[in-house]
């Protein structure tokens, strides 16, 4: 488990997403990973989280492999 603070971008004020066990070691609800946080930020910026970019060898790379956490938006 780890904290992340979001501000602006139509996020809810004072909103807490998810919870952990009493030791803070494992999520008990609202499980999300770094890839979901990245997808959430891209979607808030108006970018499709499933979009692809090309590297120098013209290989497609997704900008995010996660799903946006829509519950954090107002």
């Amino acid at each position: 488990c780890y904290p992340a603070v979001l501000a602006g971008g139509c996020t809810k004020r004072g909103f807490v997403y998810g919870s952990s066990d009493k030791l803070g070691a494992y999520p008990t609800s609202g499980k999300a990973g770094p890839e979901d946080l990245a997808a959430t930020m891209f979607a808030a910026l108006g970018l499709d989280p499933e979009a692809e970019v090309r590297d120098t060898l013209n290989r497609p790379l997704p900008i995010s492999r996660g799903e946006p956490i829509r519950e954090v938006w107002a």
Side-chain angles (χ1 to χ4, degrees):
C1 294
Y2 60 91
V5 177
L6 302 177
C10 298
T11 56
K12 296 177 185 175
R13 295 182 71 184
F15 180 74
V16 176
Y17 178 78
S19 61
S20 66
D21 62 1
K22 68 180 184 174
L23 297 175
Y26 299 99
T28 58
S29 69
K31 187 176 180 180
E35 63 279 358
D36 299 318
L37 187 57
T40 303
M41 291 187 284
F42 284 131
L45 290 169
L47 300 171
D48 180 10
E50 296 179 8
E52 292 181 341
V53 294
R54 301 278 177 168
D55 67 5
T56 56
L57 297 175
N58 204 28
R59 295 177 295 191
L61 299 169
I63 62 171
S64 172
R65 297 185 192 274
E67 293 293 322
I69 308 167
R70 302 201 186 277
E71 292 86 358
V72 301
W73 291 327

